[in-house]
Amino acid sequence: MVFYLIGLGLGDVEDITVKGLNIVRKCKRVHLEAYTSILCYGLDKSKLEEFYGREVIEADRTIVEQNADEILDGADVDDIAMLVVGDPFGATTHTDLVLRAKQKNITVKVVHNTSIINAVGCCGLQLYNFGETVSIVMWLDGWEPDSYYDKIATNMEKGFHTLCLLDIKTKEQSIENMMKGKKVYEPPRYLTCAEAATQLLKIAERKKEAGIEPAYAESSPCVGLARVGWEDQKIVYCSLKEMSEYDLGPPLHSLVLPGQMHPLEIEMLNTFKF
Amino acid sequence: MVFYLIGLGLGDVEDITVKGLNIVRKCKRVHLEAYTSILCYGLDKSKLEEFYGREVIEADRTIVEQNADEILDGADVDDIAMLVVGDPFGATTHTDLVLRAKQKNITVKVVHNTSIINAVGCCGLQLYNFGETVSIVMWLDGWEPDSYYDKIATNMEKGFHTLCLLDIKTKEQSIENMMKGKKVYEPPRYLTCAEAATQLLKIAERKKEAGIEPAYAESSPCVGLARVGWEDQKIVYCSLKEMSEYDLGPPLHSLVLPGQMHPLEIEMLNTFKF
């Protein structure tokens, strides 16, 4: 029998592929990975259950990372599936799960789907002109990491665009609740394009103070993408300074810093001008 | 009304999303882009028509690039769709089509799907460790371009993996037929991993002869991927030399040159050892 890893794409219930849906309907058990992405917002277990016409079991971080056996249990005799927002190989955790399954001689099949890594092409910037993807971490209480800056600078230098994935905090515990051993979670938080642009400009300022010419400035162009693939998708092309003050609405957001642009790319971006 | 660009994913009829399928079924006219990808092999118009239960109009290169008006015709009063293998923004042509639609005040909506750009994650190499994607061109009759070498070398230097997309020649005319003005096309040709590895090794040899230390050698590891997402998908992890002699079967093939690898990546690749 087979352990299926099924991508859900950009987060609408109808974004599953026909192949994926057919498999979900025939599997003995269906798990839903509930932490790396958007599931707290918009798409939830009950919506999926209604659409699939079957039960879906939520698997939180602890189970997927530390208790994979629970998910794989019985996959040697029945078809079992795990649903993952985006493409199944967007996160390291799933590689680990595949390896565990292989060690148990369980056949693994993957039903791919889109992720922001290729959907970002909708802004008009060509996928083959992107350099390394970076993750921008949410600044909290004086913890202000900036390790992604160097990657952006390297991309810029080479003329590449940079896709910045923005931090998501779901199922986080407050220090107080953690110490009390209470499994009470803070409301999910998503880094917005405005916040990310603000952080980036702060980093540029600090570089300048340190005598380094920053890779970008307030006037540098950027592209903000919100809810890609959703009915209310929004794309905005403006300066980093403007982005730092612009409200793109509900999550998820992604930010792109364009490198060298071709005329066709510029023409397309101009249709999203602020 | 809306002009829909709908991704078909990796090429099986069932790879369309539920959203995409619902749109295809309600549109007045559905075009199928018939040249940038795998459509000659395995998936064809008749299979799609049978699956969708409706007519599909094939649009060849000339129409999409030079006669976009034909495709957009009537999209101001009816819903019209164009189907594209992979994700709609994998190719520049579609950006152009979107721009033309926008100029005509036609609403454009995109239904994203997976493309090899993110599906390549199935080999175990992490997507965020990939550098620039390159296209390896088929060598023909003494025309032996090697411009992709520099990009691979740059990726290697930075420790990044390189996804090499392999050349596809469909609807090519022989010089004879072209001169005679005959619209007779050569059978489609697809660059294989073996051919690509052979070309890469030839380039390395030439660099050596020119006194340059090449970025890779016969013993360098590589990953060959064939028919990703299909029932008979095949992934092989071996040396470039071995790959140059290995038959991965029918198209499409893609080749990956890994950069610096993490233990989890190596563990996963080892499950595909030759």
Side-chain angles (χ1 to χ4, degrees):
Chain A
M1 297 284 97
V2 178
F3 176 66
Y4 292 98
L5 264 171
I6 301 175
L8 295 186
L10 298 171
D12 187 276
V13 285
E14 289 195 340
D15 284 340
I16 192 169
T17 66
V18 174
K19 188 185 281 177
L21 183 60
N22 289 339
I23 293 169
V24 163
R25 289 190 169 153
K26 72 164 194 186
C27 276
K28 173 96 183 224
R29 216 169 59 233
V30 174
H31 298 271
L32 167 68
E33 187 219 62
Y35 64 89
T36 51
S37 201
I38 188 70
L39 281 160
C40 301
Y41 168 76
L43 185 69
D44 62 18
K45 193 173 90 100
S46 62
K47 270 195 194 159
L48 291 174
E49 286 183 327
E50 194 188 328
F51 186 68
Y52 302 151
R54 64 159 299 148
E55 189 205 7
V56 166
I57 306 158
E58 228 173 289
D60 71 10
R61 176 169 263 162
T62 333
I63 293 174
V64 181
E65 285 182 357
Q66 292 160 33
N67 224 342
D69 288 355
E70 220 171 278
I71 289 166
L72 297 173
D73 184 47
D76 48 341
V77 287
D78 289 302
D79 289 332
I80 308 288
M82 184 154 98
L83 308 175
V84 173
V85 174
D87 184 73
F89 288 106
T92 329
T93 325
H94 308 135
T95 307
D96 197 59
L97 203 58
V98 170
L99 277 170
R100 280 159 190 270
K102 287 191 173 191
Q103 279 157 10
K104 291 171 181 281
N105 284 317
I106 293 168
T107 308
V108 179
K109 287 191 181 172
V110 174
V111 180
H112 290 282
N113 211 316
T114 196
S115 71
I116 189 69
I117 299 271
N118 65 312
V120 66
C122 64
C123 72
L125 294 169
Q126 297 298 314
L127 293 179
Y128 51 80
N129 294 333
F130 277 79
E132 192 183 3
T133 301
V134 309
S135 292
I136 297 193
V137 182
M138 205 180 281
W139 283 359
L140 293 169
D141 310 325
W143 186 67
E144 304 190 342
D146 64 359
S147 56
Y148 40 86
Y149 173 85
D150 289 340
K151 296 181 180 179
I152 295 172
T154 306
N155 283 341
M156 287 266 180
E157 203 181 297
K158 304 207 161 289
F160 291 156
H161 313 318
T162 307
L163 167 62
C164 306
L165 304 176
L166 307 189
D167 206 3
I168 302 170
K169 299 227 175 287
T170 62
K171 292 220 169 185
E172 299 275 319
Q173 285 177 282
S174 68
I175 293 176
E176 200 189 325
N177 280 325
M178 212 185 289
M179 285 175 69
K180 286 185 185 159
K182 274 194 194 168
K183 290 225 162 176
V184 175
Y185 304 107
E186 299 299 297
R189 287 189 52 195
Y190 304 90
L191 192 63
T192 66
C193 281
E195 290 165 335
T198 306
Q199 288 186 195
L200 286 175
L201 289 175
K202 199 97 167 221
I203 295 169
E205 218 172 274
R206 288 178 191 166
K207 295 285 166 192
K208 227 174 183 168
E209 281 164 14
I212 301 161
E213 186 57 42
Y216 52 79
E218 287 193 346
S219 62
S220 297
C222 65
V223 189
L225 301 101
R227 305 173 299 285
V228 171
W230 294 45
E231 264 309 308
D232 61 344
Q233 159 181 316
K234 194 162 173 65
I235 302 177
V236 165
Y237 175 51
C238 61
S239 74
L240 266 175
K241 174 71 181 164
E242 287 164 330
M243 187 64 76
S244 73
E245 293 157 357
Y246 192 86
D247 180 8
L248 271 162
L252 286 181
H253 293 189
S254 304
L255 187 70
V256 176
L257 300 191
Q260 217 172 308
M261 290 185 276
H262 298 196
L264 191 69
E265 292 182 311
I266 294 172
E267 205 183 329
M268 185 75 170
L269 282 177
N270 280 337
T271 68
F272 300 115
K273 242 184 180 160
F274 174 73
Chain B
M1 297 284 96
V2 178
F3 176 66
Y4 291 98
L5 264 172
I6 301 175
L8 296 185
L10 299 171
D12 187 276
V13 286
E14 290 196 338
D15 285 342
I16 193 170
T17 65
V18 174
K19 188 185 279 175
L21 183 61
N22 289 339
I23 294 168
V24 163
R25 289 192 167 149
K26 72 164 195 188
C27 276
K28 172 96 180 224
R29 216 169 59 235
V30 174
H31 297 272
L32 167 67
E33 187 218 62
Y35 64 89
T36 50
S37 200
I38 188 71
L39 281 160
C40 300
Y41 168 76
L43 187 69
D44 61 17
K45 192 174 92 101
S46 61
K47 269 195 197 160
L48 291 175
E49 286 184 328
E50 195 189 327
F51 186 69
Y52 302 152
R54 65 159 299 146
E55 190 204 7
V56 166
I57 306 159
E58 227 172 288
D60 71 9
R61 175 170 264 162
T62 333
I63 294 174
V64 180
E65 287 184 354
Q66 292 160 31
N67 224 342
D69 288 355
E70 221 170 278
I71 290 167
L72 298 173
D73 184 47
D76 48 340
V77 286
D78 288 301
D79 289 332
I80 309 287
M82 183 154 98
L83 308 176
V84 173
V85 175
D87 185 74
F89 288 107
T92 328
T93 324
H94 309 135
T95 307
D96 197 60
L97 203 58
V98 170
L99 278 169
R100 279 159 190 271
K102 287 193 173 189
Q103 280 157 9
K104 289 170 184 283
N105 284 317
I106 293 168
T107 308
V108 179
K109 289 193 180 171
V110 175
V111 180
H112 289 283
N113 210 316
T114 194
S115 71
I116 189 69
I117 299 272
N118 65 310
V120 65
C122 64
C123 73
L125 293 169
Q126 297 298 314
L127 293 179
Y128 51 79
N129 293 332
F130 278 79
E132 191 183 4
T133 300
V134 308
S135 292
I136 297 193
V137 181
M138 206 181 281
W139 284 1
L140 293 169
D141 311 323
W143 186 67
E144 303 190 342
D146 64 359
S147 55
Y148 40 86
Y149 172 85
D150 289 340
K151 296 182 181 178
I152 295 172
T154 306
N155 282 342
M156 287 265 178
E157 203 182 299
K158 303 208 160 289
F160 291 156
H161 314 317
T162 307
L163 167 62
C164 306
L165 304 175
L166 307 189
D167 206 3
I168 301 171
K169 299 229 175 287
T170 63
K171 292 221 170 182
E172 298 276 318
Q173 286 176 281
S174 69
I175 293 176
E176 203 191 320
N177 281 326
M178 211 185 289
M179 285 176 66
K180 286 184 184 161
K182 276 192 193 167
K183 291 227 161 174
V184 176
Y185 303 107
E186 300 298 298
R189 288 189 55 194
Y190 305 89
L191 192 63
T192 66
C193 281
E195 290 165 336
T198 305
Q199 288 186 195
L200 287 175
L201 289 175
K202 199 91 165 230
I203 295 169
E205 221 171 89
R206 287 178 192 163
K207 294 285 166 194
K208 227 173 185 171
E209 281 163 15
I212 301 160
E213 186 58 41
Y216 51 80
E218 288 193 344
S219 62
S220 298
C222 65
V223 190
L225 301 102
R227 304 173 300 287
V228 171
W230 295 45
E231 264 309 308
D232 62 344
Q233 159 180 316
K234 195 163 172 62
I235 302 176
V236 166
Y237 176 50
C238 61
S239 74
L240 266 176
K241 174 69 180 162
E242 287 165 329
M243 187 64 78
S244 73
E245 292 157 357
Y246 191 87
D247 181 8
L248 270 163
L252 287 182
H253 292 187
S254 305
L255 188 69
V256 177
L257 299 192
Q260 219 171 306
M261 291 185 275
H262 299 195
L264 191 69
E265 293 183 310
I266 294 172
E267 204 182 331
M268 186 73 170
L269 282 177
N270 281 336
T271 69
F272 301 116
K273 242 187 183 158
F274 176 71

